[in-house]
Amino acid sequence: MPQVNITVDINENIYLRDPLETDLGKRIIEHAILLLDEIGFEDLNFKKLAHHMKSTEASLYRYFENKYMLLAYLVAWYWDIMHFTLLMDIRNIKEPKKKLIRSVETLVNSLNESTTPSYIDQNKLHNIVVENAAKVYHTKKVDTLNKEGFYINYKKIVKTLSEIIREIDCDFKYPRALATNIIEQSLDSEYYLDHLPSLTDTQSRSTDSKNETVKMITYMLDRIL
Amino acid sequence: MPQVNITVDINENIYLRDPLETDLGKRIIEHAILLLDEIGFEDLNFKKLAHHMKSTEASLYRYFENKYMLLAYLVAWYWDIMHFTLLMDIRNIKEPKKKLIRSVETLVNSLNESTTPSYIDQNKLHNIVVENAAKVYHTKKVDTLNKEGFYINYKKIVKTLSEIIREIDCDFKYPRALATNIIEQSLDSEYYLDHLPSLTDTQSRSTDSKNETVKMITYMLDRIL
DNA sequence: TTACAGATAATAGTTTTACTATTACACGTA
DNA sequence: TACGTGTAATAGTAAAACTATTATCTGTAA
């Protein structure tokens, strides 16, 4: 099977050198996902990552300014692929309401294998985004980073979702806020269920929790729209 | 006017030494709020904070294990006082729906002067919580911290809000998730408006944005409940 | 009033993490 | 095979995180 280079559209301000252009770069992404999932962002540093992938600290600094930029890259990547997946999943659906429900399902069920290259563990990437996305958006540097286009991928998927909402109800006053809220809930509800269950209502982890989350969000949406 | 010692109910696992029991401790809280608001959590360290309050690094380490614990303390403090304020604000309201609307107003409008001691800048504390609360809840150590009771204050206010929701509709299936969602929106919507306006719908910062946020949340709640 | 105990804070470090200047290597081209 | 270009590794420095020890302060009892 031929190696297909996937195209991801990520702002070049995020990295120093494009990691997808070299083997070392791809290995950085691969191992960053493995190690971040394992030890978390706070405990990650470039020394550990270098050791994990049998490279050196200095090499990592050639690709990313620091670990925040590396995280920003992974999150941007996630939203880029999620946006693509979502567009694929709804492309043949005509009815706006069905489009929205399908979008929620896609968001909650995360990425599927076919859209990510083989060196990416998409479930781990999903967990990393759930655990750390807020750290990319909540920083004193938010305005600078925003100007440099760091958040474009997230904004795009919010825009797509808000347009579906407007298709359902063109007079609805808060399409963007609702879209943002849906996306955040799709990330958070599973995390809360696993770690802070008293912040949610779904009882046990044993039943299909992803499906429960979809039901909850669509229930709320049914009433709002 | 006599100095009234406010009572805050914060889990003693968060700190090494109770900062409210000494003058130095209170000064740590005071200056932590000032400096965190100014430079943000990522750029904060105990050396800078010590210099800011004309103390030493070592003294800070006697009160808090590290800057994460200091942040956790401030966030717990915020929710403790917010919970108290909320209970005060709704104590004479009989009708459940009015109770909920008033709760949203309280959450969005943040704390009022009378509930915080003089050395606390409550607006800055509010900004700190908006900017950094997610960092306290999203960490690999979440399960350990949860077991030690770090999140009790947040859980309490979610519980109170969810009970109000059940008063309105005792059959509603997702009172806790909705309560959590309301609280998160009350924090986020202003932040997005200021920094990532394309994630919201309220247009300009010039009009009363807090009021706009209340209107949006109550509009959604009206449809859901 | 002073000698001592107990509590608190400051000094002066060490260890770990973050970051960078420089050197070494690999590969394609003349 | 000599040389330019791109890439990675070595070997550091700078800064942040953390701690062992000493100093000071306060209250109490001889």
Side-chain angles (χ1 to χ4, degrees):
Chain A
M1 197 162 107
Q3 176 73 27
V4 180
N5 265 347
I6 61 133
T7 47
V8 281
D9 181 17
I10 294 173
N11 191 297
E12 61 178 25
N13 290 318
I14 297 185
Y15 50 79
L16 298 175
R17 182 188 307 274
D18 187 348
L20 296 187
E21 280 191 349
T22 65
D23 285 343
L24 182 68
K26 287 174 192 167
R27 283 184 3 95
I28 292 172
I29 304 308
E30 178 189 358
H31 286 269
I33 290 170
L34 296 176
L35 196 56
L36 262 174
D37 177 66
E38 193 184 324
I39 66 176
F41 184 68
E42 280 69 30
D43 285 349
L44 180 85
N45 60 48
F46 277 9
K47 195 171 205 166
K48 285 181 191 169
L49 180 52
H51 184 255
H52 192 270
M53 59 187 287
K54 294 185 177 65
S55 177
T56 62
E57 240 184 305
S59 301
L60 300 179
Y61 279 105
R62 301 183 143 268
Y63 285 83
F64 295 101
E65 204 185 320
N66 51 49
K67 68 173 181 172
Y68 286 95
M69 298 298 114
L70 172 56
L71 177 63
Y73 183 89
L74 294 178
V75 172
W77 174 314
Y78 179 84
W79 289 123
D80 188 64
I81 293 179
M82 179 59 88
H83 191 207
F84 174 78
T85 308
L86 194 149
L87 290 175
M88 292 296 284
D89 284 356
I90 63 171
R91 73 190 183 286
N92 290 325
I93 304 175
K94 288 283 171 293
E95 202 201 324
K97 207 140 198 172
K98 278 187 183 162
K99 250 194 223 178
L100 185 60
I101 291 169
R102 183 60 201 266
S103 300
V104 172
E105 285 169 356
T106 304
L107 283 164
V108 172
N109 289 302
S110 183
L111 311 174
N112 60 57
E113 296 282 350
S114 61
T115 47
T116 49
S118 59
Y119 58 92
I120 296 296
D121 187 320
Q122 89 244 356
N123 281 316
K124 289 184 177 172
L125 179 56
H126 174 79
N127 290 338
I128 290 164
V129 171
V130 168
E131 229 175 78
N132 302 296
K135 295 165 195 168
V136 177
Y137 304 111
H138 289 81
T139 155
K140 274 283 172 214
K141 292 169 193 117
V142 59
D143 296 325
T144 315
L145 299 181
N146 189 27
K147 263 183 207 145
E148 286 179 17
F150 275 45
Y151 306 130
I152 285 176
N153 302 86
Y154 189 64
K155 287 176 182 176
K156 270 186 191 166
I157 198 163
V158 168
K159 188 160 181 281
T160 297
L161 207 60
S162 71
E163 281 163 2
I164 298 172
I165 291 169
R166 294 216 76 150
E167 281 179 48
I168 298 172
D169 178 359
C170 66
D171 293 325
F172 184 66
K173 281 161 80 179
Y174 312 107
R176 284 168 179 268
L178 184 58
T180 305
N181 197 243
I182 290 169
I183 293 172
E184 283 180 8
Q185 279 211 57
S186 73
L187 288 185
D188 282 341
S189 62
E190 227 193 316
Y191 182 81
Y192 288 152
L193 190 58
D194 283 346
H195 301 294
L196 300 162
S198 65
L199 302 183
T200 62
D201 306 277
T202 316
Q203 296 307 324
S204 76
R205 192 75 184 73
S206 58
T207 57
D208 185 355
S209 64
K210 280 181 192 288
N211 201 39
E212 284 298 313
T213 300
V214 171
K215 268 164 103 176
M216 182 184 75
I217 295 175
T218 51
Y219 175 86
M220 305 264 201
L221 287 175
D222 246 352
R223 301 216 169 184
I224 291 172
L225 297 171
Chain B
M1 199 161 109
Q3 177 71 27
V4 181
N5 265 349
I6 60 134
T7 47
V8 281
D9 181 16
I10 295 173
N11 190 297
E12 61 180 25
N13 290 320
I14 297 185
Y15 50 79
L16 299 174
R17 184 188 305 276
D18 188 347
L20 295 186
E21 278 190 350
T22 65
D23 285 342
L24 183 68
K26 288 175 191 167
R27 284 186 359 99
I28 292 173
I29 305 308
E30 178 189 359
H31 286 269
I33 290 170
L34 296 176
L35 196 56
L36 262 174
D37 177 67
E38 195 184 321
I39 66 175
F41 184 68
E42 280 70 29
D43 285 348
L44 181 85
N45 60 49
F46 277 8
K47 196 171 204 166
K48 285 182 191 168
L49 180 53
H51 184 255
H52 192 269
M53 60 186 285
K54 293 184 178 66
S55 177
T56 64
E57 240 185 306
S59 301
L60 299 180
Y61 279 103
R62 303 186 139 266
Y63 286 83
F64 296 100
E65 203 184 323
N66 52 48
K67 68 173 182 172
Y68 287 93
M69 297 299 116
L70 172 57
L71 178 64
Y73 182 89
L74 293 179
V75 173
W77 176 313
Y78 179 84
W79 290 123
D80 187 64
I81 293 179
M82 178 59 89
H83 192 206
F84 174 78
T85 308
L86 195 149
L87 290 176
M88 290 297 284
D89 283 358
I90 62 170
R91 74 190 183 286
N92 291 324
I93 303 175
K94 289 281 170 293
E95 203 201 321
K97 206 139 199 173
K98 278 187 182 162
K99 252 193 221 178
L100 186 60
I101 292 169
R102 184 58 201 267
S103 299
V104 173
E105 285 168 355
T106 303
L107 283 164
V108 172
N109 289 302
S110 181
L111 310 174
N112 60 58
E113 296 282 349
S114 61
T115 46
T116 49
S118 58
Y119 57 92
I120 297 295
D121 186 321
Q122 88 243 358
N123 281 315
K124 290 184 175 171
L125 179 57
H126 174 79
N127 290 338
I128 289 164
V129 171
V130 168
E131 231 175 77
N132 302 296
K135 295 164 196 170
V136 176
Y137 304 110
H138 291 79
T139 155
K140 274 283 172 216
K141 293 168 194 118
V142 60
D143 296 326
T144 315
L145 300 181
N146 188 28
K147 263 183 206 142
E148 287 180 16
F150 275 45
Y151 306 130
I152 285 176
N153 301 86
Y154 188 64
K155 288 176 181 176
K156 271 186 192 166
I157 198 163
V158 168
K159 188 159 182 282
T160 297
L161 208 59
S162 71
E163 281 162 3
I164 298 172
I165 291 168
R166 295 217 78 146
E167 280 179 48
I168 297 172
D169 178 359
C170 64
D171 294 325
F172 184 67
K173 281 162 78 180
Y174 312 107
R176 283 166 180 270
L178 184 58
T180 305
N181 197 243
I182 291 168
I183 292 171
E184 282 179 8
Q185 278 212 57
S186 74
L187 288 184
D188 282 341
S189 62
E190 227 192 318
Y191 182 82
Y192 289 152
L193 191 58
D194 284 346
H195 301 293
L196 301 162
S198 64
L199 303 183
T200 62
D201 306 277
T202 316
Q203 297 306 323
S204 77
R205 191 74 183 75
S206 57
T207 56
D208 185 356
S209 66
K210 280 182 192 287
N211 200 40
E212 284 298 313
T213 301
V214 171
K215 269 164 103 174
M216 182 184 77
I217 296 175
T218 51
Y219 175 86
M220 307 263 200
L221 287 175
D222 245 353
R223 300 215 170 185
I224 292 172
L225 297 172

